[in-house]
Amino acid sequence: MSELAEAVQALDLVDHHVHGAISTEADDFEQLISESDRPLPDGLSAFDSQLGFAIRRWCAPVLGLEPHVSPEDYLAARRELGTDDVNRRLLHASGIAHYLLETGYAADRILDLDGMSLASGATTDEVVRLESVAQQVAGSGCTAAEFAPRFAEALDERLASAVGTKTVVAYRLGLDFEPQQPSLREVETAAGEWLASGSTDRVSDPVLLRHLIWAGVERRLPLQFHVGFGDPDLRLHRANPLLLTEFIELAEPYGTPLMLLHCYPFHREAGYLAHAYRDVYFDVGLAVNYTGARAAAIVAESLETAPFGKLLFSSDAWGPAELHYLGAHLWRRAITHVLGEFVDAGEWAEADAIRVATMIGRDNARRVYGLSPVA
Amino acid sequence: MSELAEAVQALDLVDHHVHGAISTEADDFEQLISESDRPLPDGLSAFDSQLGFAIRRWCAPVLGLEPHVSPEDYLAARRELGTDDVNRRLLHASGIAHYLLETGYAADRILDLDGMSLASGATTDEVVRLESVAQQVAGSGCTAAEFAPRFAEALDERLASAVGTKTVVAYRLGLDFEPQQPSLREVETAAGEWLASGSTDRVSDPVLLRHLIWAGVERRLPLQFHVGFGDPDLRLHRANPLLLTEFIELAEPYGTPLMLLHCYPFHREAGYLAHAYRDVYFDVGLAVNYTGARAAAIVAESLETAPFGKLLFSSDAWGPAELHYLGAHLWRRAITHVLGEFVDAGEWAEADAIRVATMIGRDNARRVYGLSPVA
Amino acid sequence: MSELAEAVQALDLVDHHVHGAISTEADDFEQLISESDRPLPDGLSAFDSQLGFAIRRWCAPVLGLEPHVSPEDYLAARRELGTDDVNRRLLHASGIAHYLLETGYAADRILDLDGMSLASGATTDEVVRLESVAQQVAGSGCTAAEFAPRFAEALDERLASAVGTKTVVAYRLGLDFEPQQPSLREVETAAGEWLASGSTDRVSDPVLLRHLIWAGVERRLPLQFHVGFGDPDLRLHRANPLLLTEFIELAEPYGTPLMLLHCYPFHREAGYLAHAYRDVYFDVGLAVNYTGARAAAIVAESLETAPFGKLLFSSDAWGPAELHYLGAHLWRRAITHVLGEFVDAGEWAEADAIRVATMIGRDNARRVYGLSPVA
């Protein structure tokens, strides 16, 4: 094994964008290993995909099975072991030492920060979804005029113990939102309409979403944007990160790190933004899991124009701990393969390759989020 | 030779999107091996391209020549053998067992279904181009009020013996057409204007095109869309499959399989749609031929987020039987190379690789189009 | 070493889009090896990038240092040798025999045509930036009515000894400009507003920019367009070459070669345009330098649908002669690797590979720009 491979294997990863492992039975496992909320056509199985093949190949041995076991045998073993044991095995095997958990989606089915710490033995910190805070404030009953100050107060309270914020504006509106910060008067009007609408489950008003985003900018903690690949609740062509260009320029005076998540298939575009703008960072999480045996190609494409200090590791796992494990495992294989090729071709020094892998897998996140090294 | 390579070599392909082989002399051969309707600049030859090199490399031996013969020698041998013999050799060598022929373009120069069966020894079925049916109905003389019922009748008649429909709305309008089904009143008005225009050769009215597409949806047979790479009659940025997203959602209640053809350079976007939406399928036909030695890269990129049951083989050949042969041959080489790398890297089991190649090359088409296995 | 590798190594390149090497001290070297005009975040270095690693790997030996030296040692050696010696070493090592220099940007810091000839021993010819000519005309004092004839006169004078024109409309407006040639009346009105604005440093009026572009078209010399990757002065999604489609069609009667520069990450789109339209050519310059160890991937992707007569070599170097050297060196490595793989896989004949490398590296530029072979 090369020194690079050894170093990557031993690297105590920081997963800067991830959700909790599932806390309930995973009877809908096939649904949980797809980003789609639609069923597959009759006769097809979600196991017949890059992610499905990766689960059978790489997770099976962690559960004590042969590589490439059948889906039926895999699911049977999973049930027999039980969720706790499956979580414990896969989370420990991932080698992720620090999770930055975004807790805003379907929190009732997944482990919270303490649960994840317990199951994984890792450190956990929180990233706060801006839209969730707004929905809680609106749902708790407030007037239009109270919305902005109450949201600010609630956000500050949450951020007292959190390391970053996140927006899902890509799902609610698209990244081609009006980039300017709305006035408080506009916010009050929009809040009034939303509160009067009778349903405050989901904030989707453009003015309110922009207000949340700018509240994130003003807090100066790293602000995560969902970008690119995700579930069909978005319009992928409106989730192209280049659509954020004017917003990025408007936000420059704040110096708030803007973290572009996933980005596939626009990861080259994200790399350009990370090259062009001081505050832009990105990852190819989610895509690594869903492209499986092709993950190295995606990682390679992310290593083009972006400065190496601008790229981060994430799994974007939600639910089955297979996604946490594979996020780490496939990334380790991919980065080792890609950087190893650069070294073998005589282009990079091995020491540089190890340094870059360590930056992406751990040190960039520590620096940008201001994390303490894990003991 | 690996078991995978043997299995792919022996696979009786279903070409789910293809046109007839040329039935006349191919004196304009260089024009026929380009998607462009423009001449090349003086001094350039269409043989100096990936497709041209692939013809000299792979088709030459099928015609009894050395690999890499000069274009002049290749064309001389082609003339000497004659179109019938060239067709017979190349179509048989392709190993394509079942052609789904779209007969709507320049039918006078190419073999029809019976001609293709005879020349190839393969089974043929038909895919009906919706725009051609509309143009025939309009050209046969009808009133504005008669157009919709007469079109429906003509379409049903054609579909009695066909397996799918196709639209070239990407050429006529772009994929950013209004997604909703137009009302019959709107259709009658638009038909009236078209019929009064004096030329019914080419339907390009947005309302009429939408009517044709929705007629295809209502028939519930697989509905093919030209997407991406093609001749300069389209605007490539308006042939991005993501522009179909709202249409795809509106069509969901019908369960009609939506077949995205070619897709290059938007094949990753097509893969996302196939992942996200139950009824979306796609291929990278045409691109495989035109990228030649790079075909494996395109095939690899198509094997990322899409479920393996959603990807199909096609050649999109039209005219020279070199395109039918290379469509199959380059695809076999590409899929063997790409899946072989997954197997060699320890990511996939070889049995899975064989199964996936068989799905893409044959079984997905059989299932979606409801084809009987070929004897 | 293969015959292909030897041939590529010995190839006397024509760099069809490049700027002068720096004529002053390069104290801001880190800034000069980035396309961004923004600083990096504290603690990051521009050396931690593909370009930075390539400089340490490949330029260090040309300056007499070990491969992979530290940035500090590299910069110290650079200072000690002095700009003239660094230029001489790197420019000679590049093997570029003919530079087509675009002199319109920050000319005071870089060598002019004679300076480049002297420093490199190579032949130099000029490409004239249309916007610079317009700004000089406006700055020299003229009326609105005089602008168009004075611009025409100044342009003709410059073109008497130049081989092509260039536009940076991608920076000033985006490639989605109105494609039609404006009327002289419109130009006069727009010129009047510009001249009255008090600042003629930067032409950004849409009508005037279109007038300059069409003046370029009318001159029938190759007309270069900045496309894709560049500094943050552009909006990358508005620098997609597909947005030029209608303009390309309108310009067809003139037969003016349209040279799409850089194109990353839209190089596949550029390849499509070069396939579809007689007058379109393109390169992947700039991207080769900035993607370093990944340059072969970009070059490979540029060799898909485009005819081989439509692709050109360029470095797009500006300033540090490292960029001139690496533009050539990384391209030689990339084309040797990519075409070598085609040969090794049995897809291409080696003689064809050598011929294609020679077309891209030299002969296409000579033919399109009407250059004499260098003695």
Side-chain angles (χ1 to χ4, degrees), chain C residues 226-271:
Chain C
H226 179 99
V227 173
F229 182 56
D231 69 62
D233 194 26
L234 57 70
R235 294 287 175 267
L236 189 57
H237 52 300
R238 295 183 60 192
N240 183 326
L242 296 179
L243 299 173
L244 286 174
T245 307
E246 287 186 37
F247 167 77
I248 291 167
E249 295 193 355
L250 288 173
E252 284 187 308
Y254 291 88
T256 303
L258 304 175
M259 319 304 289
L260 311 182
L261 306 176
H262 327 320
C263 300
Y264 179 93
F266 309 116
H267 39 294
R268 281 175 162 165
E269 285 83 346

Side-chain angles (χ1 to χ4, degrees), chain B residues 262-280:
Chain B
H262 326 320
C263 300
Y264 179 94
F266 309 116
H267 39 293
R268 281 175 161 165
E269 284 82 346
Y272 160 78
L273 292 172
H275 177 107
Y277 295 103
R278 183 194 58 202
D279 301 324
V280 174

Side-chain angles (χ1 to χ4, degrees), chain A residues 35-36 38-39 41 44 48-50 53 56-58 68 229-230 232 235-237 264 290 294 301 333, chain B residues 242 246 249 252 268 272 275-278 281 300-301 303-304 308 342 345-349 352 355 367:
Chain A
E35 279 293 300
S36 181
R38 271 72 170 172
L44 298 194
D48 280 340
S49 64
Q50 289 284 10
F53 279 24
R56 291 169 47 222
R57 170 63 187 94
W58 300 113
H68 311 302
F229 183 55
R235 295 288 175 267
L236 189 57
H237 52 299
Y264 179 94
Y290 278 94
R294 284 282 299 165
E301 289 167 354
R333 284 179 62 80
Chain B
L242 297 178
E246 287 185 36
E249 295 191 356
E252 283 186 309
R268 281 175 161 165
Y272 160 78
H275 177 107
Y277 295 103
R278 183 194 58 202
Y281 299 79
E301 289 167 356
L303 286 160
E304 292 176 352
F308 302 134
F342 296 163
E347 306 256 0
W348 283 30
D352 282 325
R355 191 165 60 86
R367 187 184 68 253

Side-chain angles (χ1 to χ4, degrees), chain A residues 240 242-246 249 252 267-269 272-279 281 296-297 299-310 338 342 345-350 352-353 355-356 359 364 367, chain C residues 33-45 47-51 53-54 56-58 68 229-237 264-268 287 290-294 297-298 301 330 333:
Chain A
N240 183 326
L242 296 179
L243 300 172
L244 288 173
T245 307
E246 287 185 37
E249 295 191 356
E252 284 187 308
H267 39 294
R268 282 175 161 165
E269 284 83 346
Y272 159 79
L273 292 172
H275 177 107
Y277 296 102
R278 182 194 59 201
D279 301 324
Y281 299 78
V299 168
E301 289 167 354
S302 75
L303 286 159
E304 292 175 352
T305 62
F308 302 135
K310 298 297 205 78
V338 173
F342 296 164
E347 307 256 359
W348 282 30
E350 188 164 35
D352 283 324
R355 190 165 60 86
V356 169
M359 289 167 76
N364 289 339
R367 186 184 69 251
Chain C
I33 61 169
S34 167
E35 280 293 300
S36 180
D37 55 359
R38 271 72 170 172
L40 278 166
D42 287 347
L44 298 195
S45 158
F47 273 101
D48 279 341
S49 65
Q50 289 284 10
L51 174 56
F53 280 24
R56 290 170 47 220
R57 170 62 186 93
W58 299 114
H68 312 301
F229 182 56
D231 69 62
D233 194 26
L234 57 70
R235 294 287 175 267
L236 189 57
H237 52 300
Y264 179 93
F266 309 116
H267 39 294
R268 281 175 162 165
Y290 276 94
T291 61
R294 284 282 299 164
I298 314 306
E301 289 167 355
L330 293 174
R333 283 180 62 82

Side-chain angles (χ1 to χ4, degrees), chain B residues 279-319:
Chain B
D279 301 324
V280 174
Y281 299 79
F282 76 113
D283 72 45
V284 289
L286 192 62
V288 165
N289 269 344
Y290 277 95
T291 61
R294 284 282 299 165
I298 315 304
V299 167
E301 289 167 356
S302 74
L303 286 160
E304 292 176 352
T305 63
F308 302 134
K310 298 298 206 77
L311 191 49
L312 284 81
F313 160 74
S314 88
S315 68
D316 191 31
W318 185 97

Side-chain angles (χ1 to χ4, degrees), chain C residues 22 36 72 76 115 137 140 159 170 178 187 216 232 253 256 268 276 303 314 319 332 354:
Chain C
I22 201 158
S36 180
E72 295 69 31
V137 167
S140 69
L159 294 182
E178 278 294 309
V187 173
T256 303
R268 281 175 162 165
L303 286 160
S314 88
R332 290 186 207 269
I354 293 171

